[in-house]
Amino acid sequence: MSDKPLRLVPLGGLGEVGKNMMVVEYGHDILVIDTGIMFPENDMLGIDYIIPDFGYLKDKVDRVRGIVITHGHEDHTGAIHHILEDIPAPIYATALTRGLIEVKLQRAGLLKDARLHTVQAGDTVRLGPFRVEFFHVCHSIPDGVGLAIDTPAGLVVHSGDFKFDHTPVDGWPTDFGKLAELGQRGVLALMADSTNAERPGWTPSEAVIDPAFDDVFRAAPGRILIGTFASLISRIQQAARAAARHDRVLSLVGTSMVDNVRIARQLGYLTIPDGLLIPLDEALKMKPQRVALMCTGTQGEPSSILGRLSTATNRQFDLLPDDTVVLSSHPIPGNEETVHRTINRLLQRGANVIYDAIAPVHVSGHASQEEMKLLMQLIRPQYFVPVHGELRHLKMHASLAHSIGIPAERTAVVENGMVLEFREGKMQAGERIPGGYVFVDGRGVGDVGPEVMRERESLARDGFVLVNLRLNPKTGKLAGEPEIHTRGFVHAPDAEELLQAARQKVRELGGGSENGLPEKIERELGKLFYAETKRRPMVLVFTSSSGS
Ligand SMILES: [Zn+2]
Ligand SMILES: [Zn+2]
């Protein structure tokens, strides 16, 4: 036993679906698990994605022994280049995960200096006081791993994203034997994927998708457009096999899809014969009933291929009358509204749309309740920490733990930034550190704060009012008539009365020569507009000196 505490510091993924990042700390040494991003919710205007707040690590850079990545999904890998810029620690990942990470590092110009190490399930790596053993888990992307981390304070197990699929697409089920062995060794703490904690029973095997795809392929009169995540490599494999069975060619639409498939094929994780996969421009010239297209955009992102097709703004090609669109994915929590809008628009534009509510064209990559219980039974941890989920998922996962005999006081439902400490085999709450959002907007990281988000929201909701004032340079008083323009607030001809009142208010205020006139006008007009319309447009006042 050790005298130093073992600390778990969740920086992302606890209390949300996305941007997973967990820090394991023992004494002076630190291990980082995953570096994910989260996609913005509807109300986060203009934000590309969100990365974890890893400020906690910035003064501890020399203490980070390694960054371990469990699998190649964006919510585990997407922030790797942001993290690596500040924390140039060695990265450990399986071959496919590494391949997908390399693409990101290459784009960010960081690949040359990155220290990447390939591991495979069964390997053990020593990183300072941590002995990290990788074990295979099934998920919706091949080559996913869970982690058994041996520390002087005890053994910690992290499930990674997992399910117990007996017939996975790549034929490689979760390593039950290893899980049982870990349970026998004695596990201090288990951290496990909570995504589907509300879902009873077992998650169906990926194998159920094959017959569903067969039905779609048999019935489709024209082209088939299959939408999924570019990182759902297993689904791309299933689509390729379905295309081969039904004598269609497959073509990839979108850079991320093309890049990921190239890497996965090179590394042997995707088997697609050359003749089956053809370039898009060739596919577009073929008879529609011979073509299947693989595209991104199942979350309703307006700039994605399916998003653009739904609004008739895709440049390379448009929907055809007999097209069948298959959404082989499920909305990420928060995206439901946009996804449904995209489905409606695609239907409106004449496509036949098939999604998981009407046919089993998607199964989850995450364990359901019975699998979660089985994992806990096999591992039999002293302490249980649900991870990877919104608070309701974490709570539900904790109550599943209670149902199989893990007492409440040995379960820790914590959110980002709430540190857990293990001292002499006992768990206690540590300090609270920042665990919020860092917005990435175009090329800017973290320069869009909550203040800017509030301004964008207000602009989108209530529009703005622009007031142009000319001031007498000598007296500082208003000279001439104020000009008032509005955008997105009121329709000018209908609101002439309101704008008259606003001009009158400006004239009254502009009669005095006090300082801070623009601010005063912004404030007073804000009040006037709210009183009259119950809306709060952004009021901007510009002043210029009158030439006279
Ligand atoms: Zn995943
Ligand atoms: Zn995940």
Side-chain angles (χ1 to χ4, degrees):
M1 269 293 137
S2 72
D3 47 345
K4 293 178 210 158
L6 172 73
R7 287 157 55 84
L8 301 181
V9 186
L11 296 183
L14 276 74
E16 64 199 353
V17 172
K19 68 176 176 67
N20 295 286
M21 186 168 182
M22 177 65 80
V23 166
V24 182
E25 198 174 347
Y26 179 77
H28 193 68
D29 299 281
I30 287 174
L31 179 72
V32 174
I33 304 172
D34 289 333
T35 56
I37 57 169
M38 183 159 82
F39 293 103
E41 288 167 24
N42 291 341
D43 52 358
M44 298 176 184
L45 300 161
I47 294 301
D48 295 328
Y49 55 87
I50 302 154
I51 63 174
D53 180 345
F54 59 101
Y56 177 75
L57 292 175
K58 285 190 181 161
D59 60 352
K60 306 177 182 68
V61 170
D62 57 317
R63 294 165 50 187
V64 180
R65 298 288 156 254
I67 300 170
V68 178
I69 308 290
T70 56
H71 64 287
H73 283 159
E74 292 288 341
D75 61 324
H76 299 257
T77 63
I80 187 73
H81 51 293
H82 296 292
I83 311 286
L84 214 57
E85 269 179 356
D86 288 315
I87 307 168
I91 300 169
Y92 298 82
T94 59
L96 178 61
T97 309
R98 176 186 175 159
L100 297 170
I101 288 173
E102 281 180 352
V103 177
K104 290 177 202 308
L105 294 178
Q106 176 84 52
R107 276 194 208 127
L110 294 173
L111 184 56
K112 198 164 45 68
D113 297 321
R115 287 176 287 160
L116 285 155
H117 301 275
T118 306
V119 294
Q120 52 186 19
D123 285 356
T124 300
V125 174
R126 181 169 269 290
L127 301 167
F130 309 107
R131 255 182 86 250
V132 184
E133 191 176 349
F134 300 85
F135 58 88
H136 181 69
V137 290
C138 266
H139 186 39
S140 45
I141 185 168
D143 228 4
V145 286
L147 311 168
I149 306 161
D150 224 341
T151 76
L155 181 59
V156 174
V157 175
H158 190 294
S159 73
D161 286 9
F162 83 102
K163 68 190 278 193
F164 286 152
D165 192 339
H166 298 288
T167 49
V169 173
D170 64 1
W172 191 4
T174 296
D175 190 347
F176 289 98
K178 174 54 74 182
L179 295 175
E181 184 213 304
L182 293 172
Q184 246 140 40
R185 269 160 61 186
V187 172
L188 173 66
L190 168 67
M191 295 179 264
D193 174 3
S194 311
T195 316
N196 281 348
E198 292 171 342
R199 206 182 280 200
W202 300 77
T203 302
S205 168
E206 284 177 319
V208 308
I209 290 171
D210 294 330
F213 272 6
D214 279 338
D215 289 344
V216 172
F217 274 69
R218 251 194 304 273
R223 292 186 308 193
I224 300 172
L225 289 81
I226 302 171
T228 196
F229 291 108
S231 59
L232 229 67
I233 304 289
S234 314
R235 199 57 46 78
I236 300 171
Q237 179 70 72
Q238 289 179 294
R241 286 186 194 145
R245 283 197 296 277
H246 297 270
D247 196 27
R248 289 184 186 242
V249 295
L250 187 71
S251 192
L252 308 169
V253 193
T255 344
S256 52
M257 194 67 88
V258 172
D259 282 349
N260 286 0
V261 167
R262 178 173 47 78
I263 303 280
R265 285 180 87 202
Q266 266 169 17
L267 297 170
Y269 290 94
L270 252 181
T271 323
I272 309 180
D274 282 330
L276 184 70
L277 194 63
I278 66 164
L280 180 61
D281 49 349
E282 282 177 38
L284 294 177
K285 287 183 209 138
M286 294 177 66
K287 282 203 191 107
Q289 58 272 30
R290 293 263 354 260
V291 176
L293 304 176
M294 202 78 216
C295 6
T296 55
T298 55
Q299 297 302 309
E301 315 91 304
S303 60
S304 66
I305 304 293
L306 287 181
R308 292 200 301 249
L309 285 172
S310 75
T311 51
T313 51
N314 192 39
R315 254 175 298 130
Q316 233 174 339
F317 65 95
D318 198 3
L319 284 176
L320 295 175
D322 278 333
D323 279 351
T324 302
V325 178
V326 181
L327 297 185
S328 187
S329 71
H330 190 71
I332 295 172
N335 292 352
E336 291 87 352
E337 200 185 309
T338 1
V339 172
H340 295 156
R341 194 181 312 135
T342 307
I343 293 176
N344 289 331
R345 283 187 180 147
L346 289 167
L347 288 167
Q348 228 163 32
R349 302 206 58 233
N352 179 23
V353 186
I354 296 168
Y355 48 101
D356 66 342
I358 57 177
V361 288
H362 175 69
V363 295
S364 173
H366 300 272
S368 297
Q369 291 180 352
E370 295 307 312
E371 292 152 278
M372 293 175 166
K373 288 190 236 168
L374 178 54
L375 177 74
M376 291 186 267
Q377 295 284 21
L378 288 167
I379 297 287
R380 286 177 288 145
Q382 285 182 55
Y383 293 95
F384 176 59
V385 184
V387 299
H388 203 289
E390 294 178 12
L391 192 53
R392 62 196 166 105
H393 304 130
L394 306 180
K395 280 266 186 208
M396 191 67 208
H397 203 176
S399 71
L400 291 175
H402 304 165
S403 78
I404 61 154
I406 301 177
E409 62 273 17
R410 289 180 175 267
T411 304
V413 174
V414 290
E415 292 189 88
N416 298 338
M418 295 164 78
V419 178
L420 290 173
E421 284 191 0
F422 297 85
R423 235 177 245 276
E424 285 156 4
K426 298 238 175 338
M427 177 176 68
Q428 62 193 62
E431 79 275 25
R432 179 120 209 204
I433 59 151
Y437 289 176
V438 176
F439 295 115
V440 181
D441 171 11
R443 295 189 60 77
V445 179
D447 47 5
V448 178
E451 187 58 35
V452 176
M453 289 308 295
R454 268 195 294 278
E455 285 177 8
R456 287 184 186 178
E457 276 165 33
S458 128
L459 275 172
R461 201 176 44 235
D462 297 332
F464 67 87
V465 176
L466 215 129
V467 182
N468 241 327
L469 303 179
R470 272 182 302 137
L471 299 181
N472 182 314
K474 290 204 188 82
T475 64
K477 288 187 184 181
L478 191 64
E481 273 295 291
E483 280 174 44
I484 298 187
H485 304 275
T486 72
R487 287 289 182 278
F489 171 47
V490 287
H491 185 51
D494 305 340
E496 197 38 52
E497 217 172 299
L498 177 65
L499 296 182
Q500 278 296 355
R503 270 193 287 273
Q504 181 55 37
K505 177 66 88 184
V506 174
R507 274 194 294 266
E508 280 167 26
L509 295 168
S513 61
E514 52 197 308
N515 290 330
L517 182 60
E519 290 76 13
K520 189 155 193 190
I521 290 176
E522 282 173 18
R523 223 173 22 247
E524 291 301 317
L525 286 189
K527 278 190 212 158
L528 171 73
F529 292 138
Y530 185 71
E532 296 295 323
T533 64
K534 291 285 168 277
R535 296 174 65 193
R536 298 183 195 279
M538 185 176 289
V539 180
L540 299 167
V541 178
F542 291 96
T543 58
S544 56
S545 292
S546 134
S548 59

